[in-house]
Amino acid sequence: VVASSGNAGHNPYLTGSPGTGDGVISVSAVDSAEGFPGATITVGGTPVEAINANGASLDGIGDLTVVRLTGDNALGCSPAAFTAAGVVPGGKQIAVVDRGSCARVAKAIYGQQAGAAAVVMVNNTDDLPPFEGVVTANADTGEPFDLTIPFLGVRSSSGPAFVAGATASLVATQIANPGFRGYASFSSSGPRSGDSAISPDVAAPGVSISSAAVGSGNGAAILSGTSMAAPHVAGVAALSAEAHPSWTAPQIAASVVSTADPDKVARQSLTLGGVGLVDAAQAVATTVTATGDAFRTESGWARESALSFGFQESPLGFGGVKTVTVRNDGPTAVRYDVSTTPSAQSKKARILLSNRSITVPAHGSAKVLLIVAAAAKDVPSSVGADDQFAFSEISGDIVLTSSDATLRVPYLLVPRADSTVRATTNGPWFSGKQKVADGTKKLTLRNLAGALPAGADVYTWGLSDPQDASKTLADTGYDIRAVGVQSFPDGDDTLMVFAMNMHHRWSNAAANEYDIVIDSDRDGTPDWIVLSADSGGVRNGDTNGLSEVFIVNAKTKETAAAGFLTQAPTDSSTLLMPVRASDLGITGAFSYTAQTFASNDASDAVDGWATYDPTAPAISNGQFVTVPKRGSASVDVTFNAKQIDAQKPLGSMVVVMDNQSGADEALLLPLKK
């Protein structure tokens, strides 16, 4: 089984495992083109570098007038969008569109159908868009169409140069590919969602690949994707199977993975692309396989081509012991020197081997033990990093070197260092017989055994939900435990932040949808939904693994960006969703509840509603304090008895994202028992 890793951007954690089978290889994509046809577009006297995405001839085109598609037509997703912008047949015009929504080549086709002499697409990043090759069909509709006009792509920063009415001239050039041998931007990275195992296993060419065009006879189509990389690996596996007819599927998989070459990938990364670039010659030539973790299949036990220690969290340390089995099916014994090479991304760890050399007899096997040990103090927090995808890894390769070949077995441990922040009291703010009164109480927090200092953030706790995830579906971090809210003045507005705490961690929160349902006028009917979901999936249907906050009108279903990314670290269980009160029409008390939808079709919803008034909080919130290692800190919490009676909060909720995932990330202090 050869599985594409998926086109979801460089986020850690593939949104699904590649499947099950006796020999599974998951694949990432690299860019194998050294250069592309390009153009210099001189517009208004400014030269702009462009990729000639379909390789069309630029000879004899002459000067063209810029027509810039704007507003609802900016994406150029129909011939009418070009016509509405002023494109006319024979008008010697170069139409400029933005990337997004419809397929890239569809934009050029629609421009040609409207009469444009050339189409320029402004990319949504400051990189040149991909090379498409000869275009013979509309990728959106599947309809045959021969694109003959130039389809050019420019960086986002070049977009402002294309002013409507300006004159543009085109000169053909050749563009060196800065991404040559690097990982494709669309290729998902690992570890694998759920168990944090190694995935992808290997890399293969997957950018601008010339392949057979369906229904064209001997015609070609140029496509990009991990779906283009996977057939390369499937072909190598087929060659290895032909060279080793008696080998099992896991042995074939091992021959492909363990012979891959890390030196043929730019800035090679285990979690981005596995061991390295697939090597057909080495996979076919090897008579020795090196395998790691054992797993059960329908036909018995088999071994993977890697050592996956999985996800571990602790305030103390991480580690484990695993075995590599080296099997020699050749006619003579083979001696290997055994060493380890940490990845460039690996955190500090002790890596020990049971043997520094082994001799594997003909038609026999030998074993090597790998011991990994690391201290939690050497692993940084995943909270507060600029990259929402930040996570730590302890990774590298076991390298077996003989006189004429090299085998590699990758290892990966995903650590999360924990703080141990606790509230000094496990009881309520007010005892059962004590009357709730106005005033201030002190909350003391201690982090006596934590591996790192931790931020503690106070919310007004509004909702609680039992652990009730389905027993038949994996809990991927969708089972709601508690929900709270805090609010702050934001100029003339109010910024509110909703905190949702789950019973179990997610790998990547973008795989799920998290909803806060708002009844802003408290008439019993939802008015808005504040949701966290995959940014690319909501914006243009192209998932990128980034969690973003959106606002949905519950009645019209119109969706808008809230203007904030979700704070939802990898391998965590609490997410923070900021939103402005004015965007929800909130000027006083409102009601809210919560629901979730997981990628495996599971869901959860809180039974009940909470009330909150950002103009008069019942319990003060927004206090933030850093609790040092082996130390303590305190904050004051103020109570308003009248508002407590009106809003009926459950108590205070202290979010400590560096605590162990699950219940410890949200310390719940009930108002009264």
Side-chain angles (χ1 to χ4, degrees):
V1 178
V2 177
S4 153
S5 73
N7 300 340
H10 276 179
N11 56 301
Y13 290 104
L14 302 175
T15 54
S17 66
T20 59
D22 288 0
V24 177
I25 307 173
S26 65
V27 184
S28 68
V30 296
D31 194 337
S32 58
E34 292 190 60
F36 301 107
T40 299
I41 308 174
T42 302
V43 55
T46 301
V48 175
E49 184 181 48
I51 190 169
N52 186 348
N54 64 331
S57 173
L58 305 183
D59 295 339
I61 289 182
D63 290 344
L64 302 176
T65 301
V66 173
V67 176
R68 187 71 188 253
L69 278 67
T70 59
D72 293 339
N73 298 319
L75 298 177
C77 290
S78 68
F82 289 83
T83 301
V87 173
V88 296
K92 293 187 69 65
Q93 296 161 310
I94 183 168
V96 183
V97 300
D98 292 335
R99 183 172 181 175
S101 189
C102 56
R104 298 183 298 269
V105 298
K107 301 171 187 290
I109 289 172
Y110 296 140
Q112 180 172 325
Q113 290 173 336
V119 171
V120 173
M121 184 185 73
V122 180
N123 204 9
N124 52 7
T125 65
D126 209 28
D127 306 292
L128 293 175
F131 179 69
E132 309 287 355
V134 176
V135 177
T136 58
N138 187 322
D140 275 350
T141 65
E143 296 175 0
F145 189 92
D146 292 327
L147 181 67
T148 57
I149 66 171
F151 176 36
L152 309 168
V154 301
R155 298 176 175 86
S156 59
S157 59
S158 300
F162 293 88
V163 178
T167 298
S169 60
L170 311 178
V171 177
T173 61
Q174 188 70 16
I175 296 175
N177 180 11
F180 178 51
R181 288 190 172 178
Y183 297 106
S185 61
F186 55 74
S187 187
S188 283
S189 60
R192 194 166 65 201
S193 182
D195 63 1
S196 299
I198 292 177
S199 188
D201 298 301
V202 294
V207 178
S208 301
I209 302 300
S210 180
S211 185
V214 176
S216 67
N218 63 354
I222 295 181
L223 298 172
S224 297
T226 50
S227 297
M228 296 292 100
H232 283 84
V233 179
V236 173
L239 292 173
S240 180
E242 184 177 7
H244 312 106
S246 65
W247 279 10
T248 64
Q251 286 178 284
I252 297 297
S255 73
V256 174
V257 175
S258 63
T259 59
D261 192 344
D263 295 331
K264 292 181 180 177
V265 179
R267 297 174 296 279
Q268 190 268 341
S269 166
L270 179 65
T271 52
L272 284 175
V275 176
L277 189 70
V278 66
D279 189 323
Q282 294 297 323
V284 168
T286 188
T287 60
V288 181
T289 56
T291 53
D293 294 338
F295 62 98
R296 185 183 291 276
T297 72
E298 293 179 358
S299 55
W301 284 92
R303 289 189 172 273
E304 288 190 291
S305 308
L307 299 174
S308 293
F309 290 86
F311 171 75
Q312 299 180 21
E313 61 178 325
S314 170
L316 300 175
F318 320 95
V321 180
K322 286 186 175 287
T323 302
V324 173
T325 300
V326 186
R327 175 172 169 172
N328 178 11
D329 287 305
T332 59
V334 182
R335 182 187 182 280
Y336 287 98
D337 291 328
V338 186
S339 62
T340 59
T341 302
S343 71
Q345 299 78 25
S346 183
K347 299 302 179 186
K348 180 180 177 182
R350 292 186 66 199
I351 308 296
L352 303 175
L353 292 166
S354 61
N355 305 79
R356 287 295 177 177
S357 66
I358 56 171
T359 298
V360 191
H363 305 293
S365 63
K367 296 184 183 296
V368 176
L369 297 182
L370 176 75
I371 303 168
V372 174
K377 65 180 180 61
D378 295 324
V379 175
S381 169
S382 61
V383 179
D386 292 335
D387 184 359
Q388 190 184 71
F389 303 144
F391 79 113
S392 296
E393 62 184 272
I394 296 168
S395 59
D397 292 328
I398 298 175
V399 184
L400 299 110
T401 307
S402 70
S403 59
D404 59 359
T406 300
L407 301 176
R408 292 177 175 84
V409 178
Y411 62 86
L412 173 67
L413 188 154
V414 178
R416 184 175 188 258
D418 289 338
S419 59
T420 58
V421 175
R422 298 289 183 269
T424 56
T425 175
N426 293 323
W429 283 118
F430 298 92
S431 64
K433 296 181 179 180
Q434 185 180 4
K435 183 178 179 181
V436 175
D438 292 348
T440 299
K441 292 178 179 285
K442 189 175 293 294
L443 170 62
T444 301
L445 301 160
R446 291 185 171 86
N447 183 21
L448 300 182
L452 66 173
D457 202 4
V458 180
Y459 289 74
T460 297
W461 174 26
L463 297 169
S464 186
D465 198 55
Q467 187 168 356
D468 53 6
S470 169
K471 301 298 183 184
T472 60
L473 296 171
D475 182 357
T476 59
Y478 70 87
D479 191 4
I480 303 169
R481 174 176 174 264
V483 184
V485 62
Q486 61 180 205
S487 55
F488 311 88
D490 183 24
D492 294 333
D493 208 336
T494 297
L495 180 66
M496 301 190 300
V497 183
F498 291 94
M500 294 183 68
N501 172 239
M502 309 297 139
H503 286 282
H504 190 267
R505 72 175 177 95
W506 54 70
S507 293
N508 184 342
N512 300 329
E513 178 183 325
Y514 299 90
D515 295 355
I516 301 293
V517 183
I518 304 288
D519 180 1
S520 54
D521 55 11
R522 303 180 69 194
D523 65 352
T525 303
D527 298 298
W528 301 93
I529 300 172
V530 179
L531 67 86
S532 171
D534 187 285
S535 175
V538 175
R539 287 178 174 270
N540 53 37
D542 187 9
T543 57
N544 60 12
L546 184 71
S547 293
E548 185 177 359
V549 182
F550 296 92
I551 302 169
V552 180
N553 187 308
K555 297 180 176 66
T556 66
K557 307 305 180 186
E558 289 183 85
T559 302
F564 303 96
L565 294 179
T566 312
Q567 186 172 358
T570 56
D571 293 314
S572 186
S573 60
T574 305
L575 71 159
L576 308 181
M577 302 160 60
V579 64
R580 291 184 175 88
S582 62
D583 290 337
L584 306 176
I586 290 174
T587 57
F590 66 94
S591 298
Y592 70 94
T593 189
Q595 60 189 19
T596 60
F597 301 93
S599 57
N600 61 356
D601 294 328
S603 63
D604 192 24
V606 177
D607 183 15
W609 292 73
T611 300
Y612 181 75
D613 187 346
T615 66
I619 304 175
S620 65
N621 55 63
Q623 306 93 319
F624 181 90
V625 64
T626 298
V627 189
K629 290 192 298 183
R630 296 180 295 280
S632 63
S634 62
V635 296
D636 290 335
V637 178
T638 302
F639 301 87
N640 183 320
K642 180 180 178 180
Q643 292 300 326
I644 287 173
D645 185 59
Q647 300 175 42
K648 296 180 172 52
L650 297 179
S652 292
M653 173 174 167
V654 184
V655 173
V656 188
M657 284 192 167
D658 279 312
N659 270 4
Q660 183 176 3
S661 59
D664 286 350
E665 281 191 9
L667 307 177
L668 303 179
L669 299 170
L671 181 68
K672 199 167 185 178
K673 281 187 178 179

